[in-house]
Amino acid sequence: MAHRPKRTFRQRRADSSDSDSDSDSDSAEEPSAEPGAPGEQAVPGPEEEGPPHEGDRAEAAERPLRARGPRGRGRGRGRVWATSRRAAGAAPRADGGAGVPECTTVDLSTDEEDGTYDASESKDDQSSPSDSSSSLEEEFSSIVNIPDAAFIQAARRKRELARAQEDYISLDVKHISTIADTKKDSDEDPESEPDDHEKRIPFTLKPQTLKQRMAEEITTRNEESSEESQEDEKQAIWEEQQMRKAVKITKGRNIDLSHSSEFQTVKKFDTSISFPPVNLEIIKKQINRRLTLLQDTHRSHQREYEKYVEDVKSSKNAIQNLENSSDQALNFKFYKSMKIYVDNLIDCLNEKIINIQEIESSMHALLLKQAMTFMKRRQDELKHESTYLQQLSRKAETSTNGSLAIDEKTQCILEGIESRRAQRRQARALSGNCDHQEGTSSDDELSSADMADFQKSQGDILQDHKKIFEDVNDDFSNIQNILLKFQQWREKFPDSYYEAFIGLCIPKLLNPLIRVQLINWNPLKFNSIGLKQMPWFTSIENFIDNSMQDSKKEDNSDKKILSAVINKTVIPRLTDFVEFIWDPLSTSQTTSLVDHCRMILEEHSTCENEISKGRQDLVKSIVSRMKKAIEDDVYIPLYPKSTVENKTSPHSKFQERQFWSAVKLFRNILLWTGLLPDDTLKELALGKLLNRYLIIALLNAVPGPDIVKKCNQITAYLPEKWFENSTMRTSISQLENFIQFLLQSAHKLSRSEFRDEVKEIILILVKIRALNQAESFIEEYHLDHLKPVINQV
């Protein structure tokens, strides 16, 4: 059952534009209120003032009263709006509207009072809207008794006493202040009722109790279920109708089909249709053709049957042979043991590869830190020393007296530089190496504290390196023992060995073990152990040699094991050293690196694409590192000749050191002759270094024996293979600027006291195959005694 809507009673405001007829029709549309039980008393509500407009009051006075009765059974409250006139003895209104009819609210039920009001449904609730307003007033006045003033005062006192006895404020949600409570209080206390504009307007719904919410939800569900049931019934009815239609259509079709079948059976054969002639020969040919096909099929099935019989016999013979042969059992046992060994080896290496990578990274980080320390120290020292000399030059130009102010950091750096240079001079004096130029030595000395820290860190890494395979059997950690296992396989069952491509798998299996042996290998260290002296190298060589003796196959895959190992394991490690740790300005590092690379690239180079790719990566790393060194580390300052003429001045010494440092880099680049392409070396050594830096410094120098000595040193580092062609009369194009400088120096020296140095210059020209220029110079200066030098070439 649906909930009964909440009854609301509101004052009907009179509209100034409404007419008397409209008021009558409105009152006629409202159902009359049925009176309650005879024992009840209604307490009149307070008089409510209408709108301040006088016209509205007049129309409200003429409007008949309205009453709304309860819409359901049970007890309830309601308000009746009626018109009444103010008593004659009442005080006049403040706005001058005395005697004007007003709207009075009468409460038809008072729950607080003793009486009760029962609203029952009756025929009066459904009275037709044609009842007049006068009959409604008469009926209402006969039912409602307006109490007098004494009764109202008694009720008010009773209400005040009830309030005084309660010393608390109820927290029940039912007592929330709402518009209904306000109306209730206004009914009980007419004097305290607020005006229309002071009344509170509810903007939210009154909270419902749990029972109300449950009842509402049950009602909603019942309505939904009833709607769904109705829809299901309609759907069922529609489906039934459709089924009936389909049955009717099917029956009609069956009737049509039955009629058509009867018609067909009744239809007679048409004798006018002609068929092809049939004779005995045609039938015989068809039977023979069918017989031939069946015979062919039978023969094919017979052949298949015979083949299957032979296969069964051969299988039985193979089973008997295997059961009677003990060698096959041994072979199976060997293959099974080999499979178990390889599986265990792979599991062991997979477990240890993480530790190997960690130790490799630690060692690489330690060496990289040391290399970065040297590089940063060299650049800082060069920067501070150059700045110091510039300050000295400015001081000399201004001719100011007093000492030059130097900060503590620069002073400390300069003192450290001089201290290391003094130690190197003392070491060269003890070794007897007096022919040494300042700037050609490698400044890679560490302090005692830094050296101790480096050695301690390196020792810790090597201790961890020894613990990698300490818990592993030698059959799984020793490369020689592993190769012996595969050698046994190759000797006993060579066919299965080569069919399994073991030669291609061995480099991958040995990669972690070889990396462990290369952790302590530093190809940049002077007198470092060579690859040929390492245990893994000799073991692989012996394995390959035994393979060559056992097998005569031309495409023996074991021949390429060593090259594959070098390409997959050694070359990547060399590439890392070149990119991050190698210092091209260090002659000792470059010489050691060139020796290792020459052994790898020349003696063990193959034509395989994979190996050529690794070789190309290594070559690219070497070239890029030398380019970076030329751009970052070469610096030759230019000072006035008056400053450089004094060989003891700090400017001259600094310029000499920087020049010989560039010459050292020139030599280190040309050490790669034979490993790197000649065009690349000519571009780096001659194009970028000689023509851009060294010749400019030579042009700024004072002509004399020192220049000839420097030119001789540069020429000595040039590879002889570049000038082996006996038909050459002119030198290579990259040396054109150098040749012009030599001729210019010879012209200057021929007019000075250093005429003997001209012969040295002619010898340099002859060595670099600049024969045409040398002959022209000899003829120009009539140096006939030097012609035999040219004729000897």
Side-chain angles (χ1 to χ4, degrees), residues 268-284:
K268 295 181 179 180
F269 180 74
D270 190 2
T271 58
S272 62
I273 299 174
S274 61
F275 292 95
V278 178
N279 53 23
L280 185 61
E281 292 296 330
I282 294 174
I283 296 172
K284 185 177 180 180

Side-chain angles (χ1 to χ4, degrees), residues 406-421:
I406 305 175
D407 58 345
E408 295 181 359
K409 183 178 180 180
T410 303
Q411 185 66 28
C412 181
I413 290 174
L414 294 177
E415 291 177 357
I417 294 172
E418 291 299 328
S419 175
R420 291 195 301 275
R421 287 173 184 166

Side-chain angles (χ1 to χ4, degrees), residues 571-583:
I571 287 182
R573 186 165 178 82
L574 272 177
T575 305
D576 291 339
F577 272 97
V578 169
E579 289 182 356
F580 302 104
I581 302 174
W582 175 44
D583 182 12

